[in-house]
Amino acid sequence: MQHFQATLVLLAACAFAVSPLIATGFNGFEPDQFPAPQTDPPVQPAGYAFSIWLVIYVWLIAGAAFGLWRRAEDPAWTSMRWPLFISLAIGAGWLSVAQVSPIWAAVMIWMMLGGALWALVRAGGQDRFWLPAPIAVYAGWLTAASCVALALNLAGYGFVSAQVAALVMLVVALVIAATVVAARPGTPEYAGAVIWALIAVVVANASPPNLPVLILSILGILGLGFLAWRNRAA
């Protein structure tokens, strides 16, 4: 059974990684996918930040392959495999859904985040490079991405302005991130991925300067950096 679980995780990681090749042409939500078009929304990180997906894809596959090859029956690995599999399996279809439905894409990415955080909490501390570290980067980026997706839907469907949506969901992302950093010490990669997204939000809002978003993002960067440093020991 453990080998089966490990194989499923590796297959799901591979399917997740090749999904951009299947759902081609997606470069983020288009402004006209929403009733209120979202053109340059303040919550959206600068485009370069999405290059982190390459790191995530490769690291998740490498970690899953190591787990199947060397740790198929290790309890430190088996306890996190089902939630990680669920998250990756949903992620394999996310791009195709995002092309047609921002609402369902937001629902799916929050489900992905839930599975990733569950896997991170349950992952053992051994084999740090192969086990908790790739999951932490994945979960950290999903923390930011899920809040961005919800902010776009809130503003895009007219519930609040794009500015209010950005500020509210940045606070939500920071609360989630601070909670995870406190609950799972020894995984600075999680905070690093969130900080990577926040830096890209700063870059996107620097010119012309959007002071509320800039101030909140910079405070978040400093606060998460301090928490990660304080909880750096596993």
Side-chain angles (χ1 to χ4, degrees), residues 67-178:
L68 175 60
W69 176 43
R70 299 292 298 272
R71 300 289 188 268
E73 299 184 10
D74 192 322
W77 285 73
T78 57
S79 61
M80 64 82 198
R81 282 190 171 123
W82 281 127
L84 182 59
F85 168 74
I86 292 170
S87 179
L88 295 174
I90 295 171
W94 186 85
L95 284 174
S96 297
V97 173
Q99 290 179 321
V100 296
S101 176
I103 293 177
W104 280 109
V107 171
M108 289 174 66
I109 203 168
W110 277 91
M111 294 172 65
M112 292 163 63
L113 173 63
L117 292 178
W118 185 14
L120 179 61
V121 170
R122 299 189 67 170
Q126 67 184 67
D127 301 316
R128 186 175 171 281
F129 180 84
W130 302 106
L131 177 54
I135 300 174
V137 174
Y138 174 55
W141 180 254
L142 283 180
T143 299
S146 60
C147 290
V148 169
L150 185 52
L152 291 173
N153 277 279
L154 288 173
Y157 284 89
F159 293 103
V160 294
S161 69
Q163 180 79 346
V164 170
L167 294 173
V168 169
M169 294 314 300
L170 281 171
V171 171
V172 171
L174 290 172
V175 170
I176 294 172

Side-chain angles (χ1 to χ4, degrees), residues 19 26 30 68 120 133 138 145 156 159 198 206-207 225 232:
S19 62
F26 183 79
E30 296 295 332
L68 175 60
L120 179 61
Y138 174 55
F159 293 103
L198 290 172
S207 181
R232 65 193 182 279

Side-chain angles (χ1 to χ4, degrees), residues 7-32:
T7 302
L8 283 181
V9 171
L10 178 56
L11 291 175
C14 291
F16 186 39
V18 302
S19 62
L21 303 178
I22 298 172
T24 57
F26 183 79
N27 295 308
F29 295 118
E30 296 295 332
D32 59 4

